[in-house]
């Protein structure tokens, strides 16, 4: 298993909670979470699992996310007409795909997924759309009709002062976020396409991570005064800065693969990152 370090000397209870992670990916060939993520990361993680070192401080938010499920159990959502935290399976391309739903409301045909997240995701994200539509596909494979998808966002960085100042800011630390609904045919095509890509990666085909999977930021262009450290102006396109003029120059600030640089557990074994890192 991965090695857990405690570089910041966090309390033993936190370390123990991280080490005793109850997550079970099920009996399938691939989970929903891994299906929508990078095949390269999945293959390298499996290959170097025993060598991976993760500090407990980087796992705190995941720990808080798990705590939400314990709260839901305490809230008594296990009642007639509601399915909570059930793992479901569906076949695609010769693989068995698994995924665990947070809450299925059978009468209202709604799937709710709880996430501890950040305010800047108050309008949702593409990864949430993919995840919940795959879970809906799995629910359909298991005889459940779902016509509404939503994320219950719990904002870890919510501030009351911002809510009072800005009406467009979430007015509560918890917000229901609508998730776009695909057709079941679109979901089926997506799942089969992703299974095929992951199968290819498992066979040794070099599947490069996409810019989205690498959390690549866009390149910027900065108008710099000669000898100065701070930019006079920054733009997305060089032409938006006009002519530099005497004593000035335009410098390209290349985008950064933030996941590769700071958050990928397998970057040490990734040849794609080795070719590109500074």
């Amino acid at each position: 298993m991965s090695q857990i370090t405690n570089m910041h000397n966090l309390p033993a209870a936190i370390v123990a909670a991280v080490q005793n992670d109850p997550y079970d990916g099920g009996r399938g060939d691939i989970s929903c979470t891994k299906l929508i993520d990078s095949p390269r990361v999945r293959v390298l993680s499996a290959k170097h699992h025993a060598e991976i070192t993760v500090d407990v401080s980087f796992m705190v938010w995941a720990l808080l996310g798990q705590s939400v499920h314990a709260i839901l159990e305490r809230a008594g959502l296990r009642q007639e007409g509601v399915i909570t935290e059930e793992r479901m399976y569906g076949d695609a391309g010769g693989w068995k795909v698994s995924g665990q739903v947070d809450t299925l409301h059978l009468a209202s045909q709604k799937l709710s997924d709880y996430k501890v997240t950040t305010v800047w995701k108050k309008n949702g994200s593409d990864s949430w759309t993919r995840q919940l539509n795959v879970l809906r596909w799995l629910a359909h494979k298991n005889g459940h009709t779902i016509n509404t998808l939503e994320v219950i966002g719990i904002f870890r960085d919510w501030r009351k002062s911002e809510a009072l100042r800005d009406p467009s800011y979430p007015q509560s630390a918890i917000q229901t976020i609508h998730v776009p609904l695909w057709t079941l045919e679109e979901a089926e095509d997506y799942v089969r396409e992703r299974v095929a890509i992951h199968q290819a990666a498992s066979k040794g085909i070099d599947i490069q991570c996409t810019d989205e999977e690498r959390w690549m930021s866009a390149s910027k262009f900065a108008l710099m005064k000669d000898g100065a450290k701070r930019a006079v102006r920054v733009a997305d396109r060089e032409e938006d800065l006009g002519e530099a003029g005497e004593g000035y120059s335009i410098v390209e600030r290349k985008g950064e693969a933030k996941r590769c640089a700071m958050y990928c557990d397998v970057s040490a074994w990734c040849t794609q990152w080795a070719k590109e890192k500074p």
Side-chain angles (χ1 to χ4, degrees):
M1 63 179 294
S2 301
Q3 302 174 49
I4 305 297
T5 59
N6 187 14
M7 297 174 59
H8 301 284
N9 196 31
L10 299 186
I14 299 296
V15 178
V18 167
Q19 291 174 330
N20 295 322
D21 185 353
Y23 175 77
D24 180 6
R27 305 180 307 278
D29 296 294
I30 191 168
S31 69
C32 171
T33 305
K34 291 183 178 179
L35 181 77
I36 69 174
D37 197 12
S38 160
R40 189 181 195 86
V41 170
R42 182 186 62 82
V43 170
L44 287 175
S45 295
K47 182 177 180 180
H48 298 283
H49 189 59
E51 305 165 72
I52 295 172
T53 300
V54 182
D55 193 72
V56 69
S57 62
F58 289 111
M59 305 177 75
V60 170
W61 296 124
L63 188 63
L64 289 180
Q66 293 170 7
S67 70
V68 171
H69 299 282
I71 294 171
L72 292 177
E73 286 189 24
R74 192 173 70 187
L77 283 180
R78 297 186 183 279
Q79 55 186 300
E80 185 177 352
V82 177
I83 297 174
T84 61
E85 298 193 19
E86 180 175 314
R87 184 162 293 278
M88 299 180 180
Y89 299 87
D91 295 322
W95 271 17
K96 188 178 292 295
V97 180
S98 75
Q100 182 168 300
V101 298
D102 282 357
T103 307
L104 284 184
H105 307 271
L106 301 181
S108 58
Q109 300 181 342
K110 180 171 64 178
L111 168 61
S112 301
D113 193 81
Y114 291 77
K115 295 186 182 297
V116 176
T117 185
T118 176
V119 167
W120 67 267
K121 285 191 175 182
K122 62 185 175 70
N123 295 317
S125 75
D126 290 341
S127 63
W128 292 357
T129 299
R130 291 190 285 267
Q131 180 193 7
L132 266 68
N133 275 282
V134 171
L135 290 175
R136 179 197 179 217
W137 173 83
L138 285 169
H140 173 74
K141 292 291 185 181
N142 287 267
H144 304 296
T145 300
I146 300 299
N147 289 316
T148 302
L149 302 175
E150 66 181 16
V151 164
I152 309 300
I154 303 172
F155 301 124
R156 60 179 182 255
D157 53 354
W158 183 83
R159 292 181 294 176
K160 185 176 181 179
S161 59
E162 284 295 316
L164 293 172
R165 185 187 66 82
D166 182 1
S168 67
Y169 190 84
Q171 297 300 295
S172 167
I174 300 177
Q175 176 177 297
T176 299
I177 302 167
H178 172 73
V179 174
L181 196 71
W182 297 346
T183 66
L184 288 170
E185 291 76 16
E186 289 171 332
E188 177 88 24
D189 290 343
Y190 173 78
V191 171
R192 290 188 176 277
E193 177 185 341
R194 294 301 298 175
V195 165
I197 292 173
H198 277 276
Q199 287 174 334
S202 294
K203 293 176 182 177
I205 296 176
D206 187 23
I207 306 294
Q208 300 279 294
C209 285
T210 65
D211 284 351
E212 182 181 2
E213 290 166 345
R214 301 169 68 208
W215 307 350
M216 178 68 77
S217 60
S219 295
K220 302 282 186 180
F221 294 88
L223 177 63
M224 305 292 297
K225 185 176 181 180
D226 294 348
K229 293 184 178 180
R230 290 189 175 184
V232 176
R233 194 149 52 95
V234 178
D236 293 333
R237 302 183 305 168
E238 184 175 3
E239 52 265 36
D240 291 340
L241 295 176
E243 294 293 332
E246 186 177 353
Y248 293 85
S249 61
I250 295 177
V251 178
E252 181 181 3
R253 295 177 175 176
K254 291 188 177 296
E256 179 186 16
K258 294 183 179 180
R259 182 180 187 181
C260 305
M262 294 183 286
Y263 300 104
C264 182
D265 295 337
V266 294
S267 60
W269 301 280
C270 180
T271 54
Q272 181 182 1
W273 175 235
K275 295 175 183 177
E276 300 180 11
K277 66 181 179 182

